[in-house]
Amino acid sequence: MGEAVPDRAGQGEVGDLLTLGRRIRHLRTARGRTLDDLAGAVGSSASRLSLLENGRREPKLSMVNALARELGVPLAELLAPEAPSRRADLEIRLEHAQRSPLYGQLGLPTVRPGKRVPLELLEALVGLHDELVRRAHERAATPEEARTANVELRRTMRSQDNYFADVEDAAAGLLEAVAYPGGPLSQRQVEALAAHLGYRFEVAADLPHSARSVTDTRNQVIYLRTPGSTRTRAVALQALGHLVLGHGEPAGYPEFLRQRVEVNCFAAALLVPRREAVRLLTAAKQARDLAVEDVRDAFNVSYETAAHRFTNLATHDLGLPVHFMRVHESGTISKAYENDGVLFPVDATGAIEGQPVCRNWTARTVFERPQGVPYHQYTDTPSGTYWCTSSVDLDQAGRFSVSVGVPFVHVKWFRGRETTERSRSQCPDPSCCRTPPAALSDRWAAHARPSARAHSHLLAALPPGTYPGVDDTEVYRFLEARTR
Ligand SMILES: [Zn+2]
């Protein structure tokens, strides 16, 4: 084997050599010739010819010519890319699969597909190898696949007005089963919900870093990191959501995303039960006094949960088109939803995650306003005028804003419509806010060398710019202020 062609030649080439080798063997045996006999006739040795037939050695062209002549076929037929038979095709694919790093990682022996290996066994092995490869690919979703899946999911959510009937039904049924009395869902009631499903919670300070909760379905225990906080309630309910909604191990990235959206929705539907929320919101709409913060206060949830819940119900139960955005202080979107025609920034694939939001939008301007009170603003955009309400919060990645907006005609139902704050956005026209002012650009374009902060959000594509992920204008302004 010292002279064997190593696999570094690449799978394609090895595959080609294997096919050539199998074609030679097929013709040789069809003509009833032995290795010794044929090797002798072309001036080679049986062992060399065997290496060639096994795709482990690259023959010289003169040798291929001699073999074709000796086997009585045109050169082109010997070099044809197809395997000579179904069996040879399976043998080639099995060899291929067994030489792959994916199989190598398993530490399993390789099977030599000799003559005595039945055809069914070959079929089964090759089928399993193909499935192994398919699953490995599915798990390693590329950023492009992730973005495509996000786009697809957002389209689905839009088509159903962000209303998930099955999830609402499941949540309502559970609440009934534990005789939910109304108002904020207490930690005790969350525990009662779990008990109703046969589960209990346990606090585990050493929970794996990458996990928010871990569910042991054998012993019916859900492990959480910290007890009792508002955030823990949502994490606990999401873990229950996977059980109630019958989620299995996701078969691929799109399913993983869908499950995440569903359990988010499930947790929100328990924290802010629909019947109670719709009663509150309908009364507020009649009084022309709708406000996201009232949902937050009535159910003791975060502003983000209240805003998310508002978008679940706004169209289905109140007849209002809406948009929702969660924007990091760096100006990029981490989550967004719309069915009101607002034009989110998108990349070439239609994805919005990680895209920079117009700096004139409420989701950005709110960072410069006094904190702790909801901020309201009218924004004139190329697709119409919108009114938005926004609030800033903090998570481990920094500050982020959560905004809910409606087209101008629907602002009459909302508290805060009297605001005098107004801005104008021309985005995606780059002259709106993306191109740095010429005077700054002239002074700094050749001399600024920023380094991007790592993006914390999982799926974000880095937005385009001179330095991906960095806002040129901000960098230039910063330098300008420092050196004036
Ligand atoms: Zn803009």
Side-chain angles (χ1 to χ4, degrees):
M1 291 298 277
E3 293 174 293
V5 176
D7 275 5
R8 67 160 183 268
Q11 289 216 337
E13 239 171 287
V14 172
D16 291 342
L17 286 183
L18 262 177
T19 304
L20 173 64
R22 288 301 190 277
R23 291 188 74 87
I24 293 168
R25 177 185 293 167
H26 181 77
L27 289 166
R28 175 174 64 76
T29 51
R31 279 151 183 66
R33 301 186 66 171
T34 63
L35 273 173
D36 269 330
D37 170 26
L38 183 62
V42 296
S44 184
S45 69
S47 61
R48 284 189 184 186
L49 185 56
S50 174
L51 283 174
L52 205 155
E53 287 191 352
N54 287 314
R56 301 216 164 257
R57 162 168 267 208
E58 191 161 10
K60 289 202 171 86
L61 188 60
S62 58
M63 166 68 86
V64 183
N65 267 316
L67 283 167
R69 212 165 32 241
E70 204 45 44
L71 293 166
V73 292
L75 184 63
E77 192 183 319
L78 198 60
L79 293 174
E82 299 85 29
S85 67
R86 172 70 183 153
R87 186 179 177 95
D89 178 49
L90 289 169
E91 287 176 358
I92 290 166
R93 284 163 60 195
L94 183 63
E95 285 242 24
H96 234 300
Q98 293 185 148
R99 291 184 196 183
S100 73
L102 184 65
Y103 188 71
Q105 287 162 13
L106 300 179
L108 295 170
T110 53
V111 174
R112 281 207 48 203
K115 270 181 237 148
R116 279 194 294 274
V117 175
L119 192 63
E120 303 90 85
L121 187 55
L122 279 179
E123 295 267 10
L125 281 173
V126 170
L128 287 170
H129 276 292
D130 286 351
E131 181 62 15
L132 185 68
V133 170
R134 191 187 68 78
R135 292 198 183 198
H137 277 245
E138 222 170 47
R139 261 155 221 267
T142 64
E144 286 74 26
E145 284 167 326
R147 279 186 279 180
T148 309
N150 266 306
V151 172
E152 207 43 58
L153 184 64
R154 204 150 36 79
R155 196 170 292 148
T156 307
M157 287 163 73
R158 194 182 201 278
S159 73
Q160 59 193 51
D161 292 329
N162 206 21
Y163 183 80
F164 295 76
D166 294 350
V167 173
E168 295 290 345
D169 289 349
L174 257 189
L175 288 169
E176 210 165 299
V178 299
Y180 161 73
L185 196 70
S186 68
Q187 184 64 31
R188 243 193 87 224
Q189 284 159 342
V190 174
E191 281 161 21
L193 288 171
H196 174 72
L197 297 167
Y199 277 77
R200 65 188 167 83
F201 296 109
E202 223 170 85
V203 174
D206 56 343
L207 203 69
H209 245 280
S210 53
R212 297 184 306 173
S213 74
V214 172
T215 300
D216 171 353
T217 56
R218 191 204 324 257
N219 300 300
Q220 310 214 300
V221 182
I222 297 168
Y223 294 98
L224 303 169
R225 187 167 282 112
T226 47
S229 74
T230 310
R231 223 179 271 273
T232 306
R233 252 187 335 167
V235 172
L237 291 172
Q238 286 167 11
L240 292 179
H242 283 299
L243 300 170
V244 172
L245 301 172
H247 290 167
E249 197 179 323
Y253 194 76
E255 194 180 340
F256 164 78
L257 267 188
R258 190 180 50 76
Q259 289 185 354
R260 210 172 54 163
V261 165
E262 283 183 5
V263 295
N264 256 325
C265 202
F266 176 81
L270 285 168
L271 290 168
V272 183
R274 176 168 168 241
R275 204 166 55 189
E276 293 242 320
V278 169
R279 196 182 301 144
L280 179 147
L281 290 169
T282 306
K285 188 183 172 197
Q286 272 160 11
R288 301 191 168 219
D289 196 29
L290 277 174
V292 172
E293 59 271 26
D294 287 358
V295 177
R296 174 195 65 193
D297 298 341
F299 296 96
N300 186 26
V301 292
S302 67
Y303 188 87
E304 185 177 359
T305 299
H308 168 209
R309 195 61 181 137
F310 183 79
T311 65
N312 286 154
L313 305 174
T315 309
H316 186 267
D317 290 301
L318 304 173
L320 301 173
V322 284
H323 66 264
F324 167 96
M325 302 178 93
R326 188 185 195 278
V327 173
H328 184 254
E329 62 185 324
S330 65
T332 55
I333 297 180
S334 59
K335 268 187 213 168
Y337 163 82
E338 63 80 24
N339 69 349
D340 65 358
V342 78
L343 295 176
F344 288 140
V346 291
D347 71 5
T349 66
I352 53 173
E353 292 77 15
Q355 292 299 301
V357 174
C358 177
R359 60 177 70 238
N360 299 319
W361 281 19
T362 316
R364 299 283 305 270
T365 56
V366 65
F367 288 110
E368 292 143 30
R369 300 303 195 278
Q371 306 297 296
V373 283
Y375 168 69
H376 316 290
Q377 177 185 304
Y378 289 92
T379 310
D380 299 314
T381 81
S383 65
T385 297
Y386 293 86
W387 174 91
C388 301
T389 177
S390 187
S391 181
V392 173
D393 210 339
L394 202 66
D395 71 4
Q396 59 274 44
R399 295 195 303 162
F400 63 92
S401 68
V402 169
S403 314
V404 169
V406 290
F408 184 77
V409 290
H410 293 293
V411 67
K412 61 189 174 196
W413 311 112
F414 286 83
R415 186 185 309 159
R417 60 183 173 274
E418 65 290 338
T419 182
T420 54
E421 297 280 357
R422 189 161 198 135
S423 77
R424 186 178 176 75
S425 164
Q426 304 275 45
C427 274
D429 181 339
S431 69
C432 172
C433 62
R434 302 217 186 175
T435 311
L440 278 177
S441 207
D442 288 348
R443 271 179 61 69
W444 288 110
H447 304 288
R449 295 283 180 274
S451 168
R453 248 163 85 175
H455 275 249
S456 55
H457 31 269
L458 183 64
L459 309 168
L462 288 173
T466 313
Y467 290 88
V470 173
D471 186 317
D472 292 337
T473 308
E474 271 173 17
V475 171
Y476 299 167
R477 286 226 168 97
F478 166 81
L479 290 170
E480 185 72 7
R482 283 301 139 111
T483 55
R484 190 169 289 152

